[in-house]
Amino acid sequence: MDIRSLNAAQNYAGARPATQADPDHSGMVQGLKASFQDFASTLKHSEQMSQTAMVGQADPHALVQALAQTELAVETAVIVRNKVVEAYQEILRMPV
C-alpha cells in the first residue's frame, strides 16, 4: 500500500464519525434549551423592571440597561430566525 492510499484511508476513517448521525443530540439540545431559557429570563427581567419603574421604585439606569438587553436579545432571535428561514428556502430550491 502506498503512502497516498494509506493517508486517504486514515482521513476517511477520521471523517466518518463526523458524517454519522448522533442519536443522542444531547449537546445540541442542551445548548438550545439554555439559549431559550436565557432569552425568556431576559424578557422576564425586563418586564419586571418596567413594572417597578412604572410605580417609581426602580433606578432609571437599571431600566435602560434591562431594555437594552431585551432589545439585543430580540434582535439576536430575529437574526437567527432569518438564517433558519433562509436555510430552509435554500433547501427547497435544491433539485430533487
Side-chain angles (χ1 to χ4, degrees):
M1 185 182 276
D2 67 344
I3 190 73
R4 286 180 289 171
S5 60
L6 181 63
N7 190 17
Q10 288 174 342
N11 287 339
Y12 177 74
R16 186 172 181 160
T19 59
Q20 294 175 347
D22 181 16
D24 189 20
H25 299 299
S26 63
M28 184 177 67
V29 171
Q30 293 299 329
L32 285 173
K33 185 177 180 181
S35 296
F36 292 141
Q37 288 174 344
D38 288 345
F39 180 74
S41 68
T42 301
L43 294 180
K44 189 178 220 180
H45 174 69
S46 178
E47 184 178 349
Q48 290 171 348
M49 188 62 68
S50 298
Q51 289 174 353
T52 56
M54 281 187 231
V55 294
Q57 297 176 354
D59 180 30
H61 298 289
L63 175 64
V64 170
Q65 184 179 8
L67 292 176
Q69 287 175 344
T70 301
E71 181 181 9
L72 182 63
V74 169
E75 286 176 0
T76 303
V78 168
I79 289 171
V80 169
R81 184 217 47 188
N82 290 344
K83 290 290 184 179
V84 169
V85 168
E86 183 180 319
Y88 179 74
Q89 289 174 343
E90 187 67 28
I91 289 170
L92 288 177
R93 281 189 229 118
M94 288 182 178
V96 178

